[in-house]
Structures are given as structure tokens and as C-alpha cells.
Amino acid sequence: MQYTAGVRRTASVLAAAAAAAALMTGCTPSGDAGAAGEPSQSVQSPVPGATAGGSGAGGTGSAKPAASVSPTVSGGKAKPCTSDDVKVTEARQAAVRPPGTGTGAAIVAVANVSKSTCTLQGFPTVAGAGNGSPDKNVPLTTAHSGSATLVSLAPGARAWTKLTFVNVQGEADGYCESGATPASFPTLVVGVPGAGAHQTALDDGVLALCDNKATVTAYAATKPS
């Protein structure tokens, strides 16, 4: 019958359409297969300068803490003495001094009064303190005797210098061989290289000298005579 044949053709067309639809359901455009059923994944661009395991900007690793570094002075050596580290602890006439009736020569000691070792090196400066006031200093012209070496001072240790003056001659007020007028000062102002100037008095009298000159030795660990 024509009716039956038409039904069969219609059924065949419907079946073919259904099969085509089924095939289309399992396909997606190229490169996106499975995208509908899987979560999306973001990719982070590498941060310039970041290293694996580092915690730079955008990094996810944990950074190792920086090592603690304690500052050292001069490669671990003792620091130079400062004005707060040292103090004049002795100033007396030297046993060996030029002949005359003035002071002649003086031995001066500076001690490390701090709680740590420090170093000093060099020659002292010398001035007479006019009227006992360091603000009225009369600087002496100094000549250096010998060479300077580094002196390491432990707490309480001393360094020494010897000051030799142009001595006053004669009795009473005396006189200077140069014809200058003798000078006298109740106190001295002694400089320590890098550690300031320190005022001190001789333990036996005042400083009396000629020509405002002195010959000085460098600070040393050995007490001069």
C-alpha cells in the first residue's frame, strides 16, 4: 500500500535525523574537547627574578630567612679609642731630663677606662693651659722622636708618651738660653690621636719651659724613663 510505504520512508528519515543528532551531541569545536565537563585551569606567567621555592612577587614557595650578620670593626679587630675610652691617669716629671731648673721632661700615661679593648697610634699634641683654662691654650711646637706603632689597650691598660721641653736655666725665675722669657703653666692639655684632648696637671709642680717647644715620643705600651 502507498500509505505503508510512506510511513516506512518517514520512519527512516526520523531515524537518520536522530542518529545525526546523537553524533553531533558528542562533538565540540577542535581544541575544546571535554571543556564542557572539566573545570578551567589558569596558568600563571613566571615572575622575572623569581626562583623555584622563592617568595618573590607571585611566588608560592616559602622563603628562607636571611642569616643574621653582626657588624664587625676592621675585620674583627678592636676599634680605635675615642675620647670617651681614654683618660690621662699620670703626668709627672721624667727621671731622665735635660739639665736645668724647669720641668725638663714629663711622662704622661693614658688609660683605657672603657669596658672593651681599643687601639691608638701616633704622637700627642701638647699645649699649656693658660691660667689653668683649656680655652686659653698655648699650643707647643712639637718634634717627633721615633716611630709610631699600633697600641692595643685592654680595659684598664695604659699607653705612655714622653714630653721633653726646652728647659729653663738658672735659679729663681731662671732664663732661657734663646733669650725668650720662660713660660709656666699650671696644667697641660695633651692630645691623643683620634681620642680628643685631655687636661692634666703634673703631680709635682707646674710646667716650666722655654720657647714653647717640645719633643714627643709616640704612645707606646712600655713606660719610658
XYZ file of all heavy atoms in Angstrom, residues 65-187:
841
model
N 64.679 32.463 55.793
C 65.024 33.733 56.437
C 66.472 34.080 56.196
O 67.336 33.208 56.135
C 64.751 33.447 57.937
C 64.836 31.959 58.057
C 64.342 31.413 56.750
N 66.748 35.403 56.050
C 68.115 35.859 55.826
C 68.942 35.620 57.070
O 68.471 35.777 58.195
C 68.118 37.353 55.466
N 70.196 35.238 56.864
C 71.067 34.986 58.004
C 71.366 36.287 58.724
O 71.578 37.325 58.116
C 72.372 34.336 57.518
N 71.423 36.245 60.051
C 71.726 37.424 60.851
C 73.219 37.684 60.816
O 74.020 36.792 61.068
C 71.261 37.192 62.296
O 71.624 38.274 63.111
N 73.608 38.915 60.488
C 75.014 39.268 60.381
C 75.325 40.364 61.383
O 74.708 41.421 61.367
C 75.366 39.747 58.959
C 76.826 40.134 58.886
C 75.040 38.658 57.948
N 76.286 40.107 62.268
C 76.692 41.107 63.249
C 77.793 41.951 62.643
O 78.726 41.424 62.024
C 77.194 40.426 64.521
O 76.161 39.664 65.095
N 77.709 43.284 62.786
C 78.746 44.123 62.204
C 80.075 43.936 62.909
O 80.128 43.694 64.113
C 78.196 45.545 62.435
C 77.273 45.416 63.590
C 76.668 44.041 63.473
N 81.153 43.976 62.160
C 82.477 43.881 62.741
C 83.233 45.151 62.429
O 82.916 45.881 61.497
C 83.247 42.682 62.181
O 83.345 42.827 60.764
C 82.556 41.382 62.523
N 84.262 45.423 63.199
C 85.065 46.619 63.005
C 86.455 46.190 62.575
O 87.096 45.385 63.244
C 85.149 47.445 64.309
C 86.034 48.657 64.115
C 83.764 47.857 64.755
N 86.906 46.683 61.421
C 88.237 46.394 60.910
C 88.500 44.897 60.861
O 89.512 44.411 61.364
C 89.296 47.099 61.783
O 89.095 48.483 61.782
N 87.559 44.146 60.301
C 87.756 42.713 60.150
C 87.778 41.976 61.456
O 88.423 40.934 61.583
N 87.067 42.469 62.466
C 87.007 41.783 63.747
C 88.014 42.311 64.754
O 88.055 41.851 65.890
N 88.883 43.251 64.356
C 89.873 43.799 65.275
C 89.220 44.826 66.192
O 88.121 45.275 65.967
C 91.013 44.445 64.492
C 91.805 43.452 63.632
C 92.917 44.157 62.886
C 93.702 43.184 62.016
N 94.786 43.871 61.270
N 89.963 45.180 67.268
C 89.452 46.164 68.219
C 89.303 47.523 67.536
O 90.060 47.886 66.640
C 90.398 46.277 69.407
N 88.334 48.284 67.966
C 88.067 49.603 67.390
C 89.067 50.624 67.907
O 89.652 50.453 68.976
C 86.655 50.044 67.763
C 86.463 50.326 69.246
C 85.044 50.775 69.547
C 84.868 51.105 71.032
N 85.658 52.287 71.425
N 89.284 51.713 67.168
C 90.150 52.778 67.664
C 89.558 53.428 68.921
O 88.346 53.533 69.063
C 90.186 53.779 66.501
C 89.812 52.973 65.302
C 88.838 51.953 65.786
N 90.422 53.850 69.820
C 89.963 54.516 71.042
C 89.322 55.861 70.699
O 89.759 56.559 69.782
C 91.133 54.752 71.984
S 91.954 53.249 72.575
N 88.307 56.218 71.452
C 87.653 57.516 71.319
C 87.905 58.334 72.581
O 88.482 57.846 73.556
C 86.144 57.355 71.107
O 85.563 56.818 72.318
C 85.842 56.405 69.956
N 87.439 59.563 72.589
C 87.655 60.434 73.748
C 86.961 59.892 74.998
O 87.372 60.204 76.123
C 87.159 61.852 73.442
O 85.790 61.829 73.082
N 85.918 59.095 74.809
C 85.233 58.516 75.965
C 85.940 57.280 76.505
O 85.654 56.832 77.620
C 83.789 58.141 75.597
C 82.938 59.358 75.297
O 83.205 60.427 75.886
O 82.002 59.245 74.482
N 86.859 56.720 75.702
C 87.522 55.478 76.105
C 88.752 55.708 76.969
O 89.133 54.832 77.751
C 87.945 54.673 74.862
C 86.758 54.190 74.049
O 85.715 53.887 74.648
O 86.887 54.113 72.808
N 89.414 56.850 76.792
C 90.696 57.048 77.465
C 90.669 58.254 78.393
O 89.869 59.176 78.230
C 91.841 57.213 76.437
C 91.999 55.961 75.589
C 91.615 58.423 75.563
N 91.586 58.215 79.342
C 91.717 59.300 80.320
C 93.174 59.371 80.760
O 93.841 58.348 80.907
C 90.827 59.011 81.536
C 90.913 60.059 82.637
C 90.014 59.673 83.805
C 90.115 60.686 84.936
N 89.250 60.303 86.088
N 93.695 60.609 80.941
C 95.047 60.760 81.466
C 95.055 60.344 82.935
O 94.277 60.863 83.736
C 95.543 62.210 81.316
C 96.906 62.385 81.992
C 95.654 62.590 79.844
N 95.916 59.392 83.253
C 95.955 58.885 84.633
C 97.256 59.216 85.351
O 97.368 58.995 86.560
C 95.767 57.352 84.639
O 96.774 56.750 83.811
C 94.387 56.975 84.111
N 98.233 59.744 84.612
C 99.502 60.080 85.257
C 100.222 61.136 84.450
O 100.255 61.083 83.212
C 100.399 58.838 85.381
C 101.724 59.115 86.086
C 102.575 57.862 86.228
O 102.060 56.755 85.986
O 103.764 58.011 86.564
N 100.806 62.117 85.111
C 101.657 63.124 84.488
C 102.667 63.564 85.540
O 102.309 64.201 86.533
C 100.832 64.315 84.016
N 103.930 63.202 85.318
C 104.976 63.528 86.295
C 106.287 63.836 85.592
O 106.476 63.458 84.437
C 105.166 62.380 87.277
C 105.712 61.097 86.641
C 105.963 60.024 87.686
N 104.723 59.634 88.341
C 104.652 59.278 89.623
N 105.736 59.289 90.375
N 103.505 58.909 90.141
N 107.172 64.512 86.292
C 108.466 64.805 85.709
C 109.231 63.505 85.482
O 109.197 62.585 86.294
C 109.276 65.727 86.622
C 108.745 67.156 86.647
C 109.799 68.162 87.082
O 110.919 68.166 86.539
N 109.453 69.021 88.023
N 109.894 63.442 84.321
C 110.657 62.246 83.983
C 111.954 62.193 84.784
O 112.510 63.225 85.178
C 110.971 62.242 82.493
N 112.416 60.977 85.013
C 113.683 60.814 85.717
C 114.857 61.266 84.848
O 115.839 61.815 85.343
C 113.856 59.348 86.127
N 114.751 61.031 83.563
C 115.805 61.436 82.631
C 115.312 62.669 81.889
O 114.346 62.598 81.118
C 116.118 60.297 81.633
C 117.181 60.752 80.636
C 116.549 59.041 82.372
N 115.971 63.803 82.151
C 115.527 65.050 81.532
C 116.725 65.975 81.328
O 117.782 65.790 81.941
C 114.460 65.735 82.403
C 114.879 66.044 83.828
C 113.714 66.644 84.616
N 114.082 67.084 85.940
C 113.991 66.334 87.028
N 113.557 65.093 86.941
N 114.330 66.826 88.206
N 116.583 66.984 80.463
C 117.692 67.897 80.213
C 118.056 68.664 81.488
O 117.188 68.915 82.339
C 117.142 68.843 79.140
C 115.962 68.159 78.564
C 115.410 67.299 79.633
N 119.291 69.037 81.621
C 119.684 69.805 82.810
C 119.021 71.176 82.824
O 118.753 71.759 81.775
C 121.211 69.935 82.673
C 121.467 69.776 81.210
C 120.436 68.812 80.722
N 118.737 71.651 84.005
C 118.111 72.957 84.146
C 117.201 72.971 85.348
O 117.129 72.005 86.129
N 116.511 74.060 85.507
C 115.644 74.224 86.672
C 114.162 74.219 86.313
O 113.307 74.443 87.177
C 115.991 75.543 87.387
O 115.888 76.620 86.441
C 117.391 75.502 87.963
N 113.877 73.996 85.032
C 112.477 73.927 84.632
C 111.943 72.502 84.771
O 112.489 71.674 85.495
N 110.888 72.224 84.058
C 110.308 70.880 84.115
C 111.194 69.889 83.373
O 111.355 68.750 83.809
C 108.889 70.883 83.499
O 108.090 71.852 84.171
C 108.247 69.521 83.615
N 111.753 70.277 82.264
C 112.671 69.417 81.531
C 111.976 68.366 80.690
O 112.024 68.395 79.474
N 111.310 67.423 81.342
C 110.605 66.359 80.619
C 109.524 65.788 81.517
O 109.650 65.776 82.742
C 111.580 65.268 80.172
N 108.467 65.297 80.892
C 107.342 64.733 81.649
C 106.905 63.414 81.013
O 106.995 63.232 79.790
C 106.173 65.714 81.684
N 106.471 62.519 81.856
C 105.902 61.244 81.423
C 104.384 61.328 81.598
O 103.896 61.664 82.685
C 106.449 60.067 82.251
C 107.980 60.037 82.201
C 105.851 58.742 81.770
C 108.539 59.807 80.830
N 103.652 61.030 80.546
C 102.193 61.092 80.600
C 101.631 59.729 80.198
O 102.082 59.120 79.214
C 101.642 62.185 79.651
C 100.116 62.180 79.646
C 102.162 63.560 80.062
N 100.666 59.262 80.972
C 100.018 57.986 80.682
C 98.529 58.199 80.456
O 97.885 58.979 81.163
C 100.219 56.998 81.834
N 97.998 57.495 79.451
C 96.547 57.473 79.239
C 96.085 56.033 79.410
O 96.776 55.088 79.001
C 96.150 58.014 77.844
C 96.499 59.477 77.712
C 96.799 57.207 76.729
N 94.947 55.861 80.051
C 94.423 54.522 80.315
C 93.091 54.316 79.607
O 92.325 55.273 79.398
C 94.244 54.303 81.817
N 92.826 53.080 79.245
C 91.534 52.709 78.677
C 90.547 52.534 79.830
O 90.651 51.593 80.611
C 91.663 51.409 77.878
C 90.354 50.963 77.263
O 89.322 51.611 77.418
N 90.378 49.844 76.564
N 89.607 53.446 79.940
C 88.639 53.402 81.043
C 87.309 52.791 80.599
O 86.340 52.808 81.351
C 88.409 54.813 81.625
C 89.681 55.341 82.274
C 87.919 55.779 80.541
N 87.267 52.268 79.368
C 86.042 51.635 78.884
C 86.035 50.157 79.254
O 86.949 49.659 79.917
C 85.925 51.797 77.363
O 86.836 50.945 76.699
N 85.010 49.447 78.794
C 84.874 48.024 79.113
C 85.266 47.122 77.950
O 85.048 45.910 77.999
C 83.437 47.723 79.545
C 83.027 48.423 80.835
C 81.604 48.051 81.234
C 81.198 48.746 82.525
N 79.807 48.400 82.927
N 85.850 47.708 76.901
C 86.271 46.906 75.764
C 87.627 47.380 75.272
O 88.033 48.523 75.510
C 85.237 46.982 74.627
O 85.063 48.317 74.216
N 88.333 46.499 74.593
C 89.657 46.821 74.075
C 89.551 47.837 72.941
O 88.640 47.777 72.120
C 90.345 45.547 73.560
O 90.485 44.619 74.648
C 91.720 45.850 72.989
N 90.486 48.776 72.917
C 90.553 49.740 71.822
C 92.011 49.978 71.467
O 92.917 49.551 72.188
C 89.848 51.053 72.188
S 90.621 52.000 73.522
N 92.243 50.626 70.357
C 93.608 50.837 69.882
C 93.878 52.315 69.653
O 92.966 53.099 69.371
C 93.852 50.090 68.552
O 92.953 50.581 67.555
C 93.641 48.598 68.720
N 95.152 52.671 69.772
C 95.564 54.033 69.418
C 96.944 53.969 68.789
O 97.714 53.026 69.008
C 95.522 54.967 70.626
C 96.392 54.655 71.850
C 97.808 55.227 71.684
C 95.762 55.253 73.105
N 97.255 54.979 68.013
C 98.533 55.034 67.329
C 98.861 56.477 66.985
O 98.015 57.203 66.473
C 98.510 54.192 66.044
C 99.835 54.161 65.297
C 99.793 53.226 64.097
O 98.749 52.665 63.769
N 100.928 53.046 63.428
N 100.076 56.879 67.282
C 100.505 58.213 66.896
C 101.149 58.988 68.033
O 101.420 58.451 69.117
N 101.360 60.263 67.763
C 102.056 61.151 68.681
C 101.069 62.111 69.337
O 100.047 62.468 68.737
C 103.118 61.951 67.928
C 104.226 61.121 67.343
C 104.081 60.506 66.107
C 105.419 60.956 68.027
C 105.103 59.755 65.560
C 106.454 60.199 67.492
C 106.297 59.588 66.255
N 101.387 62.568 70.539
C 100.494 63.516 71.200
C 100.690 64.934 70.674
O 101.748 65.289 70.142
C 100.929 63.435 72.661
C 102.397 63.140 72.574
C 102.542 62.215 71.387
N 99.660 65.725 70.827
C 99.807 67.179 70.729
C 99.931 67.691 72.161
O 99.462 67.045 73.113
C 98.608 67.824 70.039
O 97.408 67.486 70.757
C 98.481 67.329 68.603
N 100.550 68.844 72.312
C 100.788 69.382 73.648
C 100.486 70.871 73.657
O 100.846 71.603 72.725
C 102.245 69.158 74.111
C 102.417 69.576 75.577
C 102.668 67.706 73.923
N 99.817 71.305 74.709
C 99.567 72.732 74.896
C 99.622 73.034 76.385
O 99.319 72.176 77.219
C 98.207 73.130 74.328
N 100.034 74.238 76.698
C 99.935 74.698 78.076
C 98.587 75.371 78.253
O 98.137 76.112 77.380
N 97.918 75.080 79.353
C 96.602 75.681 79.605
C 96.821 76.982 80.364
O 97.123 76.987 81.562
C 95.726 74.721 80.393
N 96.660 78.104 79.683
C 96.860 79.405 80.320
C 95.869 79.630 81.442
O 94.669 79.433 81.271
N 96.373 80.006 82.601
C 95.547 80.216 83.805
C 94.744 78.961 84.168
O 93.694 79.044 84.794
C 94.577 81.397 83.603
C 95.302 82.713 83.412
O 96.336 82.944 84.031
N 94.779 83.577 82.550
N 95.252 77.816 83.741
C 94.561 76.564 84.055
C 93.345 76.308 83.201
O 92.606 75.354 83.438
N 93.098 77.158 82.206
C 91.900 77.014 81.387
C 92.261 76.438 80.019
O 93.108 77.003 79.319
C 91.209 78.364 81.190
O 90.172 78.250 80.237
N 91.624 75.317 79.618
C 91.910 74.769 78.287
C 91.452 75.688 77.167
O 91.889 75.551 76.031
C 91.123 73.447 78.277
C 90.068 73.613 79.319
C 90.656 74.500 80.363
N 90.571 76.649 77.485
C 90.125 77.602 76.474
C 91.198 78.652 76.168
O 91.065 79.406 75.207
C 88.847 78.313 76.941
C 87.675 77.358 77.071
O 87.658 76.339 76.338
O 86.784 77.621 77.894
N 92.222 78.694 76.994
C 93.320 79.643 76.795
C 94.614 78.880 76.540
O 95.671 79.212 77.082
C 93.453 80.572 78.002
C 92.204 81.429 78.245
C 92.369 82.315 79.459
C 91.127 83.173 79.689
N 91.251 84.052 80.884
N 94.511 77.852 75.707
C 95.670 77.015 75.404
C 96.770 77.798 74.705
O 96.500 78.705 73.908
C 95.267 75.849 74.497
C 94.454 74.810 75.241
O 94.372 74.841 76.462
N 93.856 73.896 74.507
N 97.986 77.406 75.004
C 99.146 77.887 74.263
C 99.772 76.661 73.624
O 100.526 75.919 74.268
C 100.156 78.589 75.186
C 101.378 79.043 74.383
C 99.513 79.773 75.896
N 99.444 76.372 72.363
C 99.981 75.161 71.718
C 101.501 75.201 71.636
O 102.098 76.246 71.352
C 99.341 75.188 70.321
C 98.145 76.078 70.454
C 98.528 77.109 71.478
N 102.132 74.080 71.884
C 103.572 73.959 71.763
C 103.910 73.359 70.400
O 103.195 72.490 69.888
C 104.140 73.068 72.861
C 103.808 73.449 74.312
C 104.590 72.559 75.282
C 104.086 74.918 74.587
N 105.003 73.841 69.839
C 105.517 73.241 68.612
C 106.188 71.926 68.979
O 107.071 71.900 69.852
C 106.526 74.170 67.929
O 105.893 75.403 67.616
C 107.067 73.549 66.658
N 105.763 70.833 68.347
C 106.288 69.524 68.723
C 107.143 68.929 67.615
O 106.860 69.084 66.425
C 105.148 68.537 69.055
O 104.263 68.431 67.931
C 104.369 69.007 70.268
N 108.199 68.233 68.023
C 109.035 67.441 67.127
C 108.876 65.987 67.539
O 108.862 65.670 68.740
C 110.494 67.878 67.227
N 108.741 65.090 66.579
C 108.509 63.679 66.870
C 109.827 62.932 67.027
O 110.756 63.113 66.235
C 107.679 63.042 65.769
C 106.299 63.586 65.666
N 105.428 63.271 64.642
C 105.617 64.444 66.478
C 104.276 63.900 64.819
N 104.373 64.627 65.925
N 109.869 62.075 68.025
C 111.036 61.235 68.259
C 110.625 59.778 68.100
O 109.709 59.298 68.786
C 111.581 61.480 69.678
O 112.638 60.587 69.967
N 111.314 59.063 67.192
C 110.982 57.658 66.974
C 109.796 57.507 66.027
O 109.359 58.459 65.385
N 109.285 56.269 65.957
C 108.167 55.957 65.062
C 106.972 55.485 65.874
O 107.102 55.047 67.016
C 108.575 54.874 64.050
O 109.004 53.703 64.731
N 105.808 55.561 65.244
C 104.565 55.189 65.925
C 104.145 53.776 65.530
O 104.221 53.396 64.366
C 103.458 56.178 65.578
N 103.695 53.007 66.493
C 103.151 51.675 66.248
C 101.773 51.577 66.897
O 101.447 52.343 67.817
C 104.061 50.571 66.826
O 104.223 50.781 68.239
C 105.431 50.584 66.151
N 100.983 50.632 66.419
C 99.639 50.449 66.954
C 99.708 49.855 68.355
O 100.399 48.861 68.588
C 98.829 49.529 66.039
C 97.348 49.377 66.379
C 96.595 50.683 66.101
C 96.730 48.245 65.555
N 98.991 50.489 69.275
C 98.939 50.014 70.662
C 97.520 49.529 70.956
O 96.552 50.267 70.755
C 99.328 51.129 71.661
C 99.289 50.595 73.089
C 100.709 51.677 71.326
N 97.416 48.283 71.402
C 96.118 47.718 71.766
C 95.952 47.817 73.276
O 96.787 47.302 74.033
C 96.024 46.257 71.314
O 94.765 45.713 71.647
N 94.889 48.484 73.693
C 94.669 48.710 75.128
C 93.462 47.913 75.604
O 92.321 48.202 75.221
C 94.437 50.190 75.408
C 95.614 51.158 75.200
C 95.179 52.585 75.525
C 96.798 50.754 76.061
N 93.720 46.924 76.446
C 92.626 46.223 77.109
C 92.052 47.155 78.169
O 92.675 48.146 78.557
C 93.142 44.932 77.735
N 90.846 46.874 78.656
C 90.294 47.729 79.714
C 91.261 47.843 80.894
O 91.766 46.850 81.407
C 89.016 46.976 80.110
C 88.601 46.270 78.862
C 89.886 45.838 78.216
N 91.563 49.086 81.275
C 92.473 49.338 82.383
C 93.927 49.466 81.990
O 94.750 49.935 82.788
N 94.297 49.072 80.766
C 95.692 49.146 80.334
C 96.076 50.581 79.990
O 95.226 51.426 79.702
C 95.910 48.232 79.131
N 97.415 50.847 80.006
C 97.924 52.196 79.760
C 98.822 52.261 78.539
O 99.454 51.277 78.153
C 98.730 52.684 80.977
C 97.918 52.900 82.241
C 98.825 53.428 83.335
N 98.098 53.718 84.571
C 98.650 54.300 85.630
N 99.935 54.647 85.604
N 97.947 54.533 86.720
N 98.878 53.456 77.955
C 99.867 53.786 76.926
C 100.602 55.034 77.392
O 100.020 55.909 78.048
C 99.191 54.032 75.585
N 101.900 55.122 77.036
C 102.756 56.161 77.592
C 103.382 57.010 76.496
O 103.631 56.538 75.391
C 103.897 55.533 78.402
C 103.453 54.558 79.448
C 103.158 53.244 79.252
C 103.244 54.809 80.820
N 102.786 52.657 80.434
C 102.825 53.591 81.425
C 103.369 55.942 81.631
C 102.541 53.494 82.767
C 103.087 55.831 82.980
C 102.668 54.621 83.535
N 103.659 58.256 76.848
C 104.421 59.143 75.980
C 105.347 60.000 76.847
O 105.043 60.277 78.017
C 103.498 60.050 75.140
O 104.292 60.862 74.281
C 102.650 60.959 76.011
N 106.465 60.400 76.263
C 107.410 61.268 76.975
C 107.495 62.599 76.262
O 107.673 62.652 75.037
C 108.797 60.623 77.051
C 109.801 61.470 77.845
C 111.146 60.739 78.008
C 112.114 61.570 78.838
N 113.409 60.872 79.070
N 107.352 63.666 77.023
C 107.415 65.032 76.512
C 108.690 65.672 77.046
O 108.881 65.784 78.265
C 106.190 65.837 76.982
C 104.832 65.117 76.976
C 103.765 66.028 77.562
C 104.462 64.675 75.571
N 109.571 66.095 76.144
C 110.830 66.733 76.550
C 110.807 68.189 76.093
O 110.563 68.479 74.912
C 112.035 66.012 75.934
O 112.013 64.630 76.332
C 113.346 66.638 76.409
N 111.071 69.108 77.040
C 110.936 70.532 76.772
C 112.304 71.203 76.678
O 113.337 70.634 77.054
C 110.117 71.198 77.878
C 108.800 70.515 78.144
C 108.648 69.675 79.248
C 107.730 70.683 77.288
C 107.440 69.038 79.484
C 106.523 70.047 77.514
C 106.385 69.216 78.614
N 112.288 72.425 76.172
C 113.494 73.258 76.228
C 113.545 73.813 77.647
O 112.702 74.630 78.050
C 113.435 74.404 75.194
C 114.697 75.273 75.289
C 113.270 73.835 73.785
N 114.493 73.346 78.420
C 114.487 73.598 79.857
C 114.922 75.024 80.224
O 115.645 75.685 79.490
C 115.406 72.606 80.572
C 114.917 72.279 81.972
O 114.047 72.964 82.498
N 115.466 71.239 82.563
N 114.407 75.442 81.357
C 114.759 76.742 81.932
C 116.083 76.596 82.690
O 116.304 75.589 83.380
C 113.651 77.231 82.880
C 114.032 78.574 83.501
C 112.323 77.330 82.126
N 116.933 77.594 82.560
C 118.228 77.565 83.218
C 118.266 78.573 84.376
O 117.437 79.492 84.440
C 119.339 77.916 82.212
C 119.361 77.051 80.968
C 119.619 75.590 81.272
O 120.483 75.253 82.097
N 118.873 74.715 80.611
N 119.234 78.401 85.263
C 119.429 79.365 86.343
C 118.504 79.117 87.518
O 117.706 78.180 87.549
N 118.619 79.985 88.481
C 117.847 79.881 89.707
C 116.655 80.840 89.670
O 116.477 81.598 88.720
C 118.754 80.212 90.903
C 119.958 79.291 91.039
C 119.548 77.853 91.292
O 118.486 77.629 91.904
O 120.277 76.943 90.854
N 115.896 80.792 90.741
C 114.720 81.656 90.890
C 113.833 81.507 89.655
O 113.420 80.413 89.309
C 115.146 83.089 91.112
N 113.531 82.623 88.987
C 112.664 82.551 87.809
C 113.389 81.956 86.613
O 112.745 81.528 85.653
C 112.152 83.950 87.457
C 111.185 84.473 88.512
O 110.595 83.637 89.227
O 111.029 85.694 88.603
N 114.729 81.917 86.642
C 115.502 81.328 85.572
C 115.501 82.165 84.307
O 114.923 83.253 84.245
N 116.074 81.584 83.262
C 116.159 82.285 81.981
C 116.203 81.242 80.867
O 116.500 80.061 81.084
C 117.408 83.178 81.939
C 118.705 82.400 81.953
C 119.335 82.067 80.757
C 119.294 82.005 83.159
C 120.521 81.352 80.758
C 120.473 81.287 83.166
C 121.080 80.952 81.972
O 122.248 80.229 81.971
N 115.973 81.703 79.689
C 116.042 80.835 78.521
C 117.318 81.154 77.753
O 117.651 82.332 77.562
C 114.845 81.053 77.604
S 113.252 80.554 78.305
N 118.022 80.139 77.312
C 119.250 80.351 76.556
C 118.989 81.089 75.245
O 119.871 81.763 74.717
C 119.935 79.009 76.286
C 120.479 78.358 77.544
C 121.183 77.049 77.253
O 120.896 76.429 76.178
O 122.014 76.627 78.075
N 117.775 80.970 74.741
C 117.421 81.652 73.489
C 117.167 83.133 73.714
O 117.077 83.908 72.748
C 116.172 81.021 72.884
O 115.054 81.224 73.725
N 117.047 83.538 74.951
C 116.727 84.919 75.258
C 115.230 85.136 75.460
O 114.805 86.234 75.845
N 114.411 84.117 75.186
C 112.965 84.237 75.391
C 112.639 84.234 76.883
O 113.468 83.873 77.723
C 112.233 83.081 74.704
N 111.456 84.655 77.198
C 111.011 84.644 78.590
C 110.456 83.266 78.944
O 109.643 82.720 78.176
C 109.918 85.701 78.809
O 110.445 86.985 78.472
C 109.436 85.696 80.249
N 110.892 82.675 80.054
C 110.347 81.364 80.431
C 108.829 81.426 80.597
O 108.270 82.453 81.000
C 111.035 81.070 81.763
C 112.282 81.891 81.741
C 111.902 83.151 80.999
N 108.177 80.338 80.271
C 106.721 80.235 80.428
C 106.410 79.156 81.450
O 107.154 78.170 81.588
C 106.067 79.889 79.097
N 105.335 79.358 82.178
C 104.893 78.336 83.132
C 103.381 78.173 83.013
O 102.651 79.141 82.790
C 105.280 78.725 84.567
O 104.641 79.937 84.945
N 102.943 76.948 83.151
C 101.523 76.622 83.031
C 101.124 75.678 84.170
O 101.834 74.705 84.446
C 101.235 75.936 81.689
C 101.671 76.720 80.488
C 102.901 76.457 79.883
C 100.878 77.735 79.974
C 103.311 77.168 78.770
C 101.282 78.451 78.861
C 102.502 78.174 78.260
N 100.001 75.953 84.826
C 99.578 75.068 85.914
C 99.115 73.699 85.423
O 99.228 72.718 86.157
C 98.431 75.837 86.572
C 97.939 76.788 85.522
C 99.103 77.112 84.676
N 98.619 73.623 84.198
C 98.154 72.343 83.654
C 98.543 72.211 82.191
O 98.805 73.201 81.505
C 96.620 72.179 83.770
O 95.978 73.257 83.091
C 96.177 72.135 85.223
